[in-house]
């Protein structure tokens, strides 16, 4: 329909190409202003006429067409009113297809996404929840567009902190306690090290020495380190299971440690490596950035070196179109430096292919959750508390609901994820339980309840046939508004991918839920007249599938009953 309108406009506005006409064409804020509107401000300068006069002339010159009900001018706009049955037919024929919203845009292209990336031997806290949820959604969005996506968990599993942990373990720990308590004991030892190092600074030298042993391949050091990594992965995977997600690769910093010498050689051979206070750096003053540290003064690599090595490995291994990094905005400078060093090594693709996707902080709206530590909120605690609170609501309001535990998990975890993804990722996120779990608010439970309502309607209707419907029964305002929301789905997915912004999907599926509930209020569905019933049921079927597909792009599941 839009393309047909552009064709009509191009005959009357030859000085503007069709692509620009399409970009100018708008959807009016109110139905009584038409289905599409063309603003004429852009033409005022070239035609030397007032925009309202231009709009009036264009409207009067538009040729009649069977897909148009009428065309009229309203101020500076040309408003197009579509033939409602034709509009409904054209949209539903597309929206009824099982692959609606999918595309082959990414066919033959690979995207690498680096996200989650917790620090080994430290608990998976609420900050890691954001990168994990956002990264998982971006993976699903790009997959929907036909890209091959490599999901990479770049674990923080290398560095001086492991030297500190080895020192602490050997001085104040024991094997039995670590086996029994896992990460909790490793974190305790890490805290003890820092407390003792304040009294005895030589412990810092001891820690650096142990990390240097790790870099040199010392068998004892690496054996203890691998044990700590394995303990951590068991805990992390428990949280990932709660979230219902996984990764293709758990290749942390340690995976690239043998590649850093090659990185240093490349930088040195390119004449970029300089010395500063005994350390090796790349001077980035010309690009308004501090220097990028490549080697510490004891010759050890640093995470920037390993990030550069990771980029070259991923480019050579996966030949990515883009490599995306989902981390906190406080790491913006770090990635700007790393990407610039890669570019300065003669890799022009770095400027467009390497992308840092930052996000804001997490707060708890002044509420204190039950945690295993007074000042750290663990992701697992938040997810379990959400599940518990949803189960309490179910027991109170729908005690006979089957599969309470399964429903509680899907809705509770979904509520946490939706609360995060409904906000623009750069904005800070607040956990407020009353808001987050409200089934009547702008929340995950509200959207999931709308899906469950669709399922309930279809169960109550029983048999139906939507293979050949009469579109005249779904041309009322509420039906048209819902159908127009269907039409937006493919472009919404493309927009979310272009902006690396899952909130575009979250806000869209909320719009669909609102439109459906308005349609449901205005239209009885299980009516006696078969033609009317089948037409309205078709909108329930499509709504149900789009909500499921949209929530899936956010990493959120659905339930048949709530």
């Amino acid at each position: 329909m839009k393309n047909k309108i552009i064709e009509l406009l191009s005959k009357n506005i030859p000085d503007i190409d069709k692509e620009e006409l399409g970009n100018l064409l708008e959807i009016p804020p109110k139905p009584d202003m038409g289905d599409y509107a063309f603003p004429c401000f852009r033409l005022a300068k070239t035609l030397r006429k007032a925009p309202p006069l231009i709009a009036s002339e264009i409207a009067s010159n538009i040729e009649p067409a069977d897909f148009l009900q009428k065309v009229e001018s309203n101020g500076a706009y040309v408003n197009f009113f579509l033939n409602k049955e034709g509009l409904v037919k054209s949209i539903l024929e597309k929206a009824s297809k099982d692959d609606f919203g999918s595309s082959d845009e990414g066919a033959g292209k690979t995207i690498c996404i680096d996200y989650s990336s917790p620090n080994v031997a430290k608990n998976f806290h609420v900050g890691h929840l954001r990168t994990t949820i956002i990264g998982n959604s971006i993976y699903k969005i790009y997959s929907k567009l036909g890209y091959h996506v490599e999901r990479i968990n770049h674990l923080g599993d290398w560095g001086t902190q492991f030297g500190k942990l080895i020192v602490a373990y050997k001085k104040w720990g024991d094997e039995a306690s670590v086996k029994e308590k896992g990460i909790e004991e490793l974190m305790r030892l890490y805290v003890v090290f820092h407390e003792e190092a304040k009294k005895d600074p030589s412990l810092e030298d001891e820690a650096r020495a142990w990390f240097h042993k790790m870099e040199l391949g010392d068998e004892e050091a690496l054996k203890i380190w691998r044990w700590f990594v394995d303990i951590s992965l068991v805990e992390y995977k428990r949280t990932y299971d709660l979230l219902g997600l996984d990764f293709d690769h758990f290749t942390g910093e340690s995976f690239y440690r043998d590649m850093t010498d090659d990185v240093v050689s490349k930088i040195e051979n390119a004449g970029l490596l300089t010395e500063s206070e005994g350390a090796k750096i790349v001077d980035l003053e010309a690009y308004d950035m501090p220097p990028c540290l490549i080697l510490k003064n004891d010759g050890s690599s640093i995470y920037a070196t390993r990030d550069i090595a990771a980029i070259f490995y991923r480019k050579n291994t996966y030949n990515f179109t883009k490599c995306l990094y989902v981390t906190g905005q406080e790491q913006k400078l770090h990635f700007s430096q790393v990407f610039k060093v890669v570019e300065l090594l003669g890799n022009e693709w770095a400027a467009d292919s390497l992308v840092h996707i930052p996000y804001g902080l997490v707060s708890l709206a002044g509420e204190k959750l039950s945690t295993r530590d007074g000042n750290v909120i663990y992701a697992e605690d938040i997810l379990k508390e959400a599940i518990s609170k949803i189960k309490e609501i179910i027991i109170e309001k729908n005690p006979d609901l089957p599969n309470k535990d399964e429903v509680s998990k899907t809705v509770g975890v979904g509520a946490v994820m939706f609360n995060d993804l409904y906000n623009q990722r750069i904005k800070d996120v607040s956990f407020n339980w009353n808001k987050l779990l409200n089934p009547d608010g702008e929340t995950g439970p509200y959207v999931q309840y709308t899906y469950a309502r669709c399922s309930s309607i279809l169960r109550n209707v029983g048999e139906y046939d939507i293979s050949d419907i009469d579109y005249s029964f779904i041309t009322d305002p509420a039906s048209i508004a819902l159908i127009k929301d269907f039409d937006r789905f493919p472009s919404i997915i493309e927009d979310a991918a272009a902006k690396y912004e899952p909130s575009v999907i979250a806000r869209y599926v909320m719009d669909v839920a609102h439109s459906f509930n308005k349609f449901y209020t205005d239209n009885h569905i299980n009516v006696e007249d078969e033609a009317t019933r089948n037409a309205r049921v078709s909108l329930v079927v499509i709504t149900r599938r789009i909500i499921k597909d949209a929530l899936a792009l956010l990493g959120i599941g659905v339930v048949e009953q709530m």
Side-chain angles (χ1 to χ4, degrees), residues 174-425:
D174 63 82
E175 184 176 351
S177 295
V178 174
K179 282 184 175 179
E180 179 189 350
K181 299 176 182 176
I183 281 186
E184 184 181 346
E185 176 65 6
L186 296 182
M187 290 181 69
R188 185 191 73 80
L189 291 172
Y190 195 69
V191 170
V192 169
F193 175 89
H194 283 280
E195 290 173 347
E196 294 297 323
K198 290 175 184 175
K199 297 179 268 184
D200 181 5
S202 69
L203 288 171
E204 296 282 358
D205 295 328
E206 230 179 300
R208 281 190 285 270
W210 271 104
F211 176 57
H212 197 54
K213 283 184 179 182
M214 287 170 56
E215 292 228 296
L216 294 174
D218 180 85
E219 189 174 329
E220 181 189 8
L222 291 178
K223 183 179 179 181
I224 298 172
W225 163 75
R226 288 192 191 97
W227 181 37
F228 292 165
V229 172
D230 291 342
I231 288 170
S232 303
L233 282 174
V234 170
E235 298 240 3
Y236 299 156
K237 286 183 177 179
R238 194 169 62 240
T239 301
Y240 295 141
D241 286 344
L242 268 178
L243 291 167
L245 56 85
D246 201 355
F247 295 85
D248 299 303
H249 312 282
F250 285 87
T251 44
E253 290 187 69
S254 64
F255 181 80
Y256 307 100
R257 68 183 188 271
D258 295 334
M259 307 175 198
T260 55
D261 287 347
D262 184 52
V263 167
V264 174
S265 296
K266 282 181 180 179
I267 297 172
E268 193 165 24
N269 293 338
L272 296 172
L273 201 64
T274 58
E275 188 171 320
S276 175
E277 299 179 7
K280 300 289 187 179
I281 64 164
V282 174
D283 188 348
L284 297 175
E285 186 178 359
Y287 306 97
D288 295 322
M289 284 186 277
C292 183
L293 181 60
I294 301 298
L295 290 176
K296 292 185 282 188
N297 53 20
D298 64 357
S300 297
S301 65
I302 192 168
Y303 54 89
T305 328
R306 296 187 285 275
D307 275 341
I308 294 169
I311 289 170
F312 288 128
Y313 173 83
R314 292 167 187 174
K315 187 65 175 176
N316 292 333
T317 304
Y318 308 117
N319 190 28
F320 58 73
T321 300
K322 287 189 177 182
C323 188
L324 312 178
Y325 294 79
V326 184
T327 74
Q329 56 186 329
E330 71 277 1
Q331 293 194 40
K332 180 180 179 181
L333 174 60
H334 164 73
F335 283 107
S336 295
Q337 291 172 309
V338 166
F339 296 167
K340 180 55 70 174
V341 171
V342 173
E343 184 182 353
L344 292 174
L345 288 171
N347 303 290
E348 294 181 3
W349 49 262
D352 296 321
S353 297
L354 303 176
V355 182
H356 178 228
I357 301 173
Y359 56 83
L361 300 173
V362 180
S363 67
L364 292 160
E367 297 183 20
K368 184 179 174 68
L369 302 182
S370 57
T371 69
R372 289 164 285 180
D373 188 298
N375 59 2
V376 178
I377 304 300
Y378 299 134
E380 189 176 9
D381 290 331
I382 280 187
L383 295 172
K384 286 184 174 179
E385 190 143 353
I387 293 169
S388 175
K389 286 178 179 290
I390 286 292
K391 190 170 182 179
E392 288 173 8
I393 295 170
I394 289 173
I395 290 171
E396 178 188 345
K397 296 189 174 182
N398 192 2
D400 297 326
L401 180 72
N403 304 318
K404 290 186 188 67
D405 290 339
E406 185 180 331
V407 172
S408 298
K409 179 181 175 183
T410 301
V411 177
V413 172
V416 173
M417 298 173 83
F418 194 89
N419 180 70
D420 188 307
L421 298 174
Y422 191 66
N423 299 279
Q424 287 184 322
R425 58 178 162 75

Side-chain angles (χ1 to χ4, degrees), residues 81-128:
F81 295 79
L82 300 177
N83 178 300
K84 293 297 183 277
E85 286 188 44
L87 173 67
V88 170
K89 182 176 186 293
S90 68
I91 293 175
L92 294 193
E93 284 178 349
K94 294 181 296 179
S96 298
K97 295 178 180 177
D98 290 339
D99 63 350
F100 183 58
S102 301
S103 87
D104 58 1
E105 170 193 311
K109 299 175 184 176
T110 294
I111 300 283
C112 289
I113 307 184
D114 179 326
Y115 61 106
S116 193
S117 311
N119 292 319
V120 165
K122 294 183 180 179
N123 218 300
F124 195 103
H125 61 71
V126 71
H128 293 122

Side-chain angles (χ1 to χ4, degrees), residues 482-551:
L482 178 60
I483 290 165
K484 284 183 177 180
D485 276 341
F486 295 164
D487 197 36
R488 294 164 51 208
F489 192 37
S491 62
I492 284 289
I493 299 171
E494 292 171 2
D495 190 36
K499 295 175 179 175
Y500 313 111
E501 188 59 82
S503 68
V504 172
I505 303 283
R507 291 180 179 272
Y508 165 76
V509 75
M510 183 61 68
D511 288 345
V512 171
H514 283 315
S515 293
F516 175 79
N517 287 314
K518 177 68 166 66
F519 158 77
Y520 177 75
T521 300
D522 288 4
N523 293 277
H524 294 296
I525 295 168
N526 198 8
V527 294
E528 286 190 20
D529 183 72
E530 185 177 2
T532 304
R533 182 173 68 251
N534 286 337
R536 291 173 180 171
V537 163
S538 71
L539 300 193
V540 180
V541 170
I542 295 172
T543 298
R544 181 174 177 272
R545 193 182 68 250
I546 285 179
I547 287 178
K548 183 178 182 179
D549 289 351
L551 286 178

